[in-house]
Amino acid sequence: MGRRRTNGAIVFASETCALDLLDAMYEREVNPGEVIVVDGNDMSITSLCLMPKRPRKACIFEHIYFALPNSIVFGRAVYSSRLSFGEMLAAESPVEGADVVIPVPDSGFFAALGYANRSGVPFQQGLIRSHYVSRTFIQPSQELRDLAVKLKLAPVPGILEGKKVVVVDDSIVRGTTSSKIVRLIKNAGAKEVHMRIACPPIVGSCYYGVDTPRTEELISNRMDVEGIRKEIGCDSLAFLPLESLRRLLGDEAPTFCDACFSRNYPVPPMENEAERATVELVATGEGQ
């Protein structure tokens, strides 16, 4: 919720960066289950809660990937979160003798900057992104995802050739995009490619409205880290451990949902409930 500086009007948006465009000051988050009634005459507000208050479980993936870096989400600056994820990743998973740190644009930018700051390895834009191609992990077919990667990213050989490259990305979902990025960089002349992922392995689907693949499609659900490394073809691979992520969140860690990393769902997934019900019906003969 924000308030416009010009006339005091109350405005609402999913991210605070939208408030900036409206010249509105950010005031606060709308709480889960809360209804805010705005009086159109004097812009006074009334807050109503239509259900019993429950502990907040905010989506941690907003800070990892979804939100724009110039937003404040759940009271935290997104760019600051991503910077700290990269710094922790560098502290826990350094690459000895690395020549350059590059991000997978754009969502890996601040994590890579944090990695470079902490490790002392120079930061460069070794991949250039076209902004006319949509997000690849939500493309409907593998063929379209492959084409999108080629159209979306172009390597800079002058930065990569003969170098030991640390590539920082926000996450690995299916693993197919990562394998093509590794191949792009090696084809551009990189001597070694070391992938560093600024979140824990994604092992569970989201059942709360985020368009993520089914659990069986998630590469981290099917393979361990070494298996994924071989699959995507990099020289080394490391993820930010879940416990490290929680430590960075501090006292707020219990207020975030990290079910995609932990499988600890705050609300039981309906998909699993439906599957269980079907099994029970078939077992009793009622589902024949």
Side-chain angles (χ1 to χ4, degrees), residues 5-27:
R5 292 180 174 88
T6 52
N7 58 8
I10 301 295
V11 293
F12 299 91
S14 60
E15 290 189 39
T16 59
C17 59
L19 303 180
D20 298 335
L21 296 174
L22 297 172
D23 193 28
M25 295 181 295
Y26 165 68
E27 291 204 348

PDB file of all heavy atoms in Angstrom, residues 5-27:
ATOM      1  N   ARG A   5       2.078  11.327  -3.509  1.00  0.00           N
ATOM      2  CA  ARG A   5       2.555  12.584  -2.930  1.00  0.00           C
ATOM      3  C   ARG A   5       1.713  13.771  -3.381  1.00  0.00           C
ATOM      4  O   ARG A   5       1.570  14.752  -2.653  1.00  0.00           O
ATOM      5  CB  ARG A   5       4.017  12.810  -3.318  1.00  0.00           C
ATOM      6  CG  ARG A   5       4.994  11.818  -2.698  1.00  0.00           C
ATOM      7  CD  ARG A   5       6.424  12.116  -3.134  1.00  0.00           C
ATOM      8  NE  ARG A   5       7.389  11.264  -2.451  1.00  0.00           N
ATOM      9  CZ  ARG A   5       7.766  10.067  -2.874  1.00  0.00           C
ATOM     10  NH1 ARG A   5       7.230   9.567  -3.984  1.00  0.00           N
ATOM     11  NH2 ARG A   5       8.644   9.353  -2.208  1.00  0.00           N
ATOM     12  N   THR A   6       1.170  13.709  -4.586  1.00  0.00           N
ATOM     13  CA  THR A   6       0.471  14.858  -5.148  1.00  0.00           C
ATOM     14  C   THR A   6      -0.884  15.126  -4.501  1.00  0.00           C
ATOM     15  O   THR A   6      -1.227  16.268  -4.192  1.00  0.00           O
ATOM     16  CB  THR A   6       0.274  14.670  -6.659  1.00  0.00           C
ATOM     17  OG1 THR A   6      -0.339  13.389  -6.889  1.00  0.00           O
ATOM     18  CG2 THR A   6       1.609  14.729  -7.381  1.00  0.00           C
ATOM     19  N   ASN A   7      -1.679  14.062  -4.293  1.00  0.00           N
ATOM     20  CA  ASN A   7      -3.040  14.267  -3.778  1.00  0.00           C
ATOM     21  C   ASN A   7      -3.411  13.370  -2.609  1.00  0.00           C
ATOM     22  O   ASN A   7      -4.555  13.371  -2.156  1.00  0.00           O
ATOM     23  CB  ASN A   7      -4.061  14.075  -4.911  1.00  0.00           C
ATOM     24  CG  ASN A   7      -3.957  12.699  -5.550  1.00  0.00           C
ATOM     25  OD1 ASN A   7      -3.234  11.827  -5.068  1.00  0.00           O
ATOM     26  ND2 ASN A   7      -4.672  12.502  -6.649  1.00  0.00           N
ATOM     27  N   GLY A   8      -2.471  12.579  -2.105  1.00  0.00           N
ATOM     28  CA  GLY A   8      -2.747  11.729  -0.946  1.00  0.00           C
ATOM     29  C   GLY A   8      -3.564  10.495  -1.246  1.00  0.00           C
ATOM     30  O   GLY A   8      -3.992   9.793  -0.319  1.00  0.00           O
ATOM     31  N   ALA A   9      -3.804  10.202  -2.530  1.00  0.00           N
ATOM     32  CA  ALA A   9      -4.616   9.035  -2.884  1.00  0.00           C
ATOM     33  C   ALA A   9      -3.909   7.744  -2.475  1.00  0.00           C
ATOM     34  O   ALA A   9      -2.691   7.622  -2.605  1.00  0.00           O
ATOM     35  CB  ALA A   9      -4.892   9.029  -4.388  1.00  0.00           C
ATOM     36  N   ILE A  10      -4.701   6.793  -1.991  1.00  0.00           N
ATOM     37  CA  ILE A  10      -4.170   5.483  -1.617  1.00  0.00           C
ATOM     38  C   ILE A  10      -4.104   4.608  -2.862  1.00  0.00           C
ATOM     39  O   ILE A  10      -5.063   4.536  -3.645  1.00  0.00           O
ATOM     40  CB  ILE A  10      -5.058   4.813  -0.549  1.00  0.00           C
ATOM     41  CG1 ILE A  10      -5.158   5.677   0.700  1.00  0.00           C
ATOM     42  CG2 ILE A  10      -4.515   3.425  -0.204  1.00  0.00           C
ATOM     43  CD1 ILE A  10      -3.845   5.851   1.429  1.00  0.00           C
ATOM     44  N   VAL A  11      -2.956   3.954  -3.062  1.00  0.00           N
ATOM     45  CA  VAL A  11      -2.783   3.061  -4.213  1.00  0.00           C
ATOM     46  C   VAL A  11      -2.228   1.721  -3.738  1.00  0.00           C
ATOM     47  O   VAL A  11      -1.579   1.650  -2.690  1.00  0.00           O
ATOM     48  CB  VAL A  11      -1.852   3.681  -5.277  1.00  0.00           C
ATOM     49  CG1 VAL A  11      -2.492   4.894  -5.909  1.00  0.00           C
ATOM     50  CG2 VAL A  11      -0.501   4.040  -4.683  1.00  0.00           C
ATOM     51  N   PHE A  12      -2.494   0.677  -4.532  1.00  0.00           N
ATOM     52  CA  PHE A  12      -2.034  -0.666  -4.196  1.00  0.00           C
ATOM     53  C   PHE A  12      -1.312  -1.273  -5.393  1.00  0.00           C
ATOM     54  O   PHE A  12      -1.684  -1.031  -6.537  1.00  0.00           O
ATOM     55  CB  PHE A  12      -3.219  -1.563  -3.803  1.00  0.00           C
ATOM     56  CG  PHE A  12      -3.960  -1.081  -2.599  1.00  0.00           C
ATOM     57  CD1 PHE A  12      -5.041  -0.223  -2.728  1.00  0.00           C
ATOM     58  CD2 PHE A  12      -3.573  -1.466  -1.323  1.00  0.00           C
ATOM     59  CE1 PHE A  12      -5.731   0.235  -1.629  1.00  0.00           C
ATOM     60  CE2 PHE A  12      -4.255  -1.014  -0.203  1.00  0.00           C
ATOM     61  CZ  PHE A  12      -5.332  -0.160  -0.353  1.00  0.00           C
ATOM     62  N   ALA A  13      -0.287  -2.051  -5.137  1.00  0.00           N
ATOM     63  CA  ALA A  13       0.481  -2.699  -6.202  1.00  0.00           C
ATOM     64  C   ALA A  13       1.120  -3.965  -5.655  1.00  0.00           C
ATOM     65  O   ALA A  13       1.261  -4.135  -4.435  1.00  0.00           O
ATOM     66  CB  ALA A  13       1.555  -1.753  -6.739  1.00  0.00           C
ATOM     67  N   SER A  14       1.529  -4.844  -6.579  1.00  0.00           N
ATOM     68  CA  SER A  14       2.177  -6.089  -6.153  1.00  0.00           C
ATOM     69  C   SER A  14       3.639  -5.874  -5.802  1.00  0.00           C
ATOM     70  O   SER A  14       4.237  -6.692  -5.115  1.00  0.00           O
ATOM     71  CB  SER A  14       2.052  -7.148  -7.255  1.00  0.00           C
ATOM     72  OG  SER A  14       2.672  -6.686  -8.444  1.00  0.00           O
ATOM     73  N   GLU A  15       4.253  -4.780  -6.306  1.00  0.00           N
ATOM     74  CA  GLU A  15       5.643  -4.462  -5.988  1.00  0.00           C
ATOM     75  C   GLU A  15       5.790  -2.960  -5.787  1.00  0.00           C
ATOM     76  O   GLU A  15       5.084  -2.175  -6.422  1.00  0.00           O
ATOM     77  CB  GLU A  15       6.589  -4.909  -7.108  1.00  0.00           C
ATOM     78  CG  GLU A  15       6.728  -6.406  -7.237  1.00  0.00           C
ATOM     79  CD  GLU A  15       7.847  -6.790  -8.205  1.00  0.00           C
ATOM     80  OE1 GLU A  15       8.896  -6.119  -8.203  1.00  0.00           O
ATOM     81  OE2 GLU A  15       7.654  -7.758  -8.969  1.00  0.00           O
ATOM     82  N   THR A  16       6.730  -2.569  -4.937  1.00  0.00           N
ATOM     83  CA  THR A  16       6.905  -1.149  -4.637  1.00  0.00           C
ATOM     84  C   THR A  16       7.460  -0.362  -5.819  1.00  0.00           C
ATOM     85  O   THR A  16       7.293   0.858  -5.874  1.00  0.00           O
ATOM     86  CB  THR A  16       7.840  -0.949  -3.432  1.00  0.00           C
ATOM     87  OG1 THR A  16       9.115  -1.547  -3.714  1.00  0.00           O
ATOM     88  CG2 THR A  16       7.257  -1.566  -2.178  1.00  0.00           C
ATOM     89  N   CYS A  17       8.100  -1.031  -6.789  1.00  0.00           N
ATOM     90  CA  CYS A  17       8.610  -0.299  -7.952  1.00  0.00           C
ATOM     91  C   CYS A  17       7.463   0.338  -8.737  1.00  0.00           C
ATOM     92  O   CYS A  17       7.654   1.380  -9.377  1.00  0.00           O
ATOM     93  CB  CYS A  17       9.443  -1.212  -8.846  1.00  0.00           C
ATOM     94  SG  CYS A  17       8.565  -2.650  -9.474  1.00  0.00           S
ATOM     95  N   ALA A  18       6.267  -0.261  -8.684  1.00  0.00           N
ATOM     96  CA  ALA A  18       5.107   0.337  -9.352  1.00  0.00           C
ATOM     97  C   ALA A  18       4.680   1.620  -8.644  1.00  0.00           C
ATOM     98  O   ALA A  18       4.209   2.566  -9.290  1.00  0.00           O
ATOM     99  CB  ALA A  18       3.946  -0.657  -9.379  1.00  0.00           C
ATOM    100  N   LEU A  19       4.848   1.664  -7.332  1.00  0.00           N
ATOM    101  CA  LEU A  19       4.517   2.886  -6.588  1.00  0.00           C
ATOM    102  C   LEU A  19       5.419   4.042  -7.013  1.00  0.00           C
ATOM    103  O   LEU A  19       4.983   5.188  -7.095  1.00  0.00           O
ATOM    104  CB  LEU A  19       4.641   2.644  -5.085  1.00  0.00           C
ATOM    105  CG  LEU A  19       3.793   1.518  -4.486  1.00  0.00           C
ATOM    106  CD1 LEU A  19       4.042   1.416  -2.986  1.00  0.00           C
ATOM    107  CD2 LEU A  19       2.319   1.734  -4.764  1.00  0.00           C
ATOM    108  N   ASP A  20       6.686   3.722  -7.296  1.00  0.00           N
ATOM    109  CA  ASP A  20       7.624   4.763  -7.731  1.00  0.00           C
ATOM    110  C   ASP A  20       7.143   5.425  -9.013  1.00  0.00           C
ATOM    111  O   ASP A  20       7.259   6.642  -9.182  1.00  0.00           O
ATOM    112  CB  ASP A  20       9.014   4.159  -7.954  1.00  0.00           C
ATOM    113  CG  ASP A  20       9.609   3.571  -6.679  1.00  0.00           C
ATOM    114  OD1 ASP A  20       9.215   4.025  -5.589  1.00  0.00           O
ATOM    115  OD2 ASP A  20      10.448   2.667  -6.786  1.00  0.00           O
ATOM    116  N   LEU A  21       6.586   4.638  -9.933  1.00  0.00           N
ATOM    117  CA  LEU A  21       6.101   5.184 -11.196  1.00  0.00           C
ATOM    118  C   LEU A  21       4.916   6.127 -10.989  1.00  0.00           C
ATOM    119  O   LEU A  21       4.680   7.031 -11.798  1.00  0.00           O
ATOM    120  CB  LEU A  21       5.682   4.048 -12.146  1.00  0.00           C
ATOM    121  CG  LEU A  21       6.802   3.105 -12.608  1.00  0.00           C
ATOM    122  CD1 LEU A  21       6.217   1.963 -13.417  1.00  0.00           C
ATOM    123  CD2 LEU A  21       7.826   3.866 -13.433  1.00  0.00           C
ATOM    124  N   LEU A  22       4.170   5.905  -9.920  1.00  0.00           N
ATOM    125  CA  LEU A  22       2.989   6.730  -9.621  1.00  0.00           C
ATOM    126  C   LEU A  22       3.312   7.883  -8.679  1.00  0.00           C
ATOM    127  O   LEU A  22       2.406   8.568  -8.224  1.00  0.00           O
ATOM    128  CB  LEU A  22       1.893   5.850  -8.990  1.00  0.00           C
ATOM    129  CG  LEU A  22       1.349   4.723  -9.870  1.00  0.00           C
ATOM    130  CD1 LEU A  22       0.435   3.817  -9.065  1.00  0.00           C
ATOM    131  CD2 LEU A  22       0.611   5.299 -11.066  1.00  0.00           C
ATOM    132  N   ASP A  23       4.609   8.042  -8.369  1.00  0.00           N
ATOM    133  CA  ASP A  23       5.034   9.068  -7.417  1.00  0.00           C
ATOM    134  C   ASP A  23       4.315   8.880  -6.079  1.00  0.00           C
ATOM    135  O   ASP A  23       3.791   9.822  -5.484  1.00  0.00           O
ATOM    136  CB  ASP A  23       4.775  10.476  -7.966  1.00  0.00           C
ATOM    137  CG  ASP A  23       5.489  11.552  -7.144  1.00  0.00           C
ATOM    138  OD1 ASP A  23       6.543  11.236  -6.544  1.00  0.00           O
ATOM    139  OD2 ASP A  23       4.977  12.685  -7.079  1.00  0.00           O
ATOM    140  N   ALA A  24       4.289   7.631  -5.635  1.00  0.00           N
ATOM    141  CA  ALA A  24       3.629   7.300  -4.372  1.00  0.00           C
ATOM    142  C   ALA A  24       4.661   6.802  -3.359  1.00  0.00           C
ATOM    143  O   ALA A  24       5.621   6.119  -3.725  1.00  0.00           O
ATOM    144  CB  ALA A  24       2.566   6.229  -4.596  1.00  0.00           C
ATOM    145  N   MET A  25       4.467   7.152  -2.117  1.00  0.00           N
ATOM    146  CA  MET A  25       5.331   6.686  -1.036  1.00  0.00           C
ATOM    147  C   MET A  25       4.838   5.331  -0.534  1.00  0.00           C
ATOM    148  O   MET A  25       3.645   5.149  -0.296  1.00  0.00           O
ATOM    149  CB  MET A  25       5.329   7.698   0.115  1.00  0.00           C
ATOM    150  CG  MET A  25       5.923   9.039  -0.223  1.00  0.00           C
ATOM    151  SD  MET A  25       5.892  10.164   1.208  1.00  0.00           S
ATOM    152  CE  MET A  25       4.120  10.366   1.423  1.00  0.00           C
ATOM    153  N   TYR A  26       5.761   4.403  -0.389  1.00  0.00           N
ATOM    154  CA  TYR A  26       5.428   3.095   0.188  1.00  0.00           C
ATOM    155  C   TYR A  26       5.096   3.268   1.665  1.00  0.00           C
ATOM    156  O   TYR A  26       5.833   3.905   2.411  1.00  0.00           O
ATOM    157  CB  TYR A  26       6.615   2.150   0.001  1.00  0.00           C
ATOM    158  CG  TYR A  26       6.575   0.890   0.831  1.00  0.00           C
ATOM    159  CD1 TYR A  26       5.634  -0.093   0.591  1.00  0.00           C
ATOM    160  CD2 TYR A  26       7.496   0.683   1.859  1.00  0.00           C
ATOM    161  CE1 TYR A  26       5.606  -1.263   1.344  1.00  0.00           C
ATOM    162  CE2 TYR A  26       7.480  -0.472   2.615  1.00  0.00           C
ATOM    163  CZ  TYR A  26       6.534  -1.442   2.353  1.00  0.00           C
ATOM    164  OH  TYR A  26       6.525  -2.588   3.109  1.00  0.00           O
ATOM    165  N   GLU A  27       3.961   2.704   2.100  1.00  0.00           N
ATOM    166  CA  GLU A  27       3.577   2.791   3.512  1.00  0.00           C
ATOM    167  C   GLU A  27       3.722   1.460   4.224  1.00  0.00           C
ATOM    168  O   GLU A  27       4.387   1.375   5.238  1.00  0.00           O
ATOM    169  CB  GLU A  27       2.144   3.321   3.639  1.00  0.00           C
ATOM    170  CG  GLU A  27       2.029   4.789   3.225  1.00  0.00           C
ATOM    171  CD  GLU A  27       0.837   5.493   3.844  1.00  0.00           C
ATOM    172  OE1 GLU A  27      -0.044   4.806   4.422  1.00  0.00           O
ATOM    173  OE2 GLU A  27       0.794   6.743   3.761  1.00  0.00           O
TER     174      GLU A  27
END
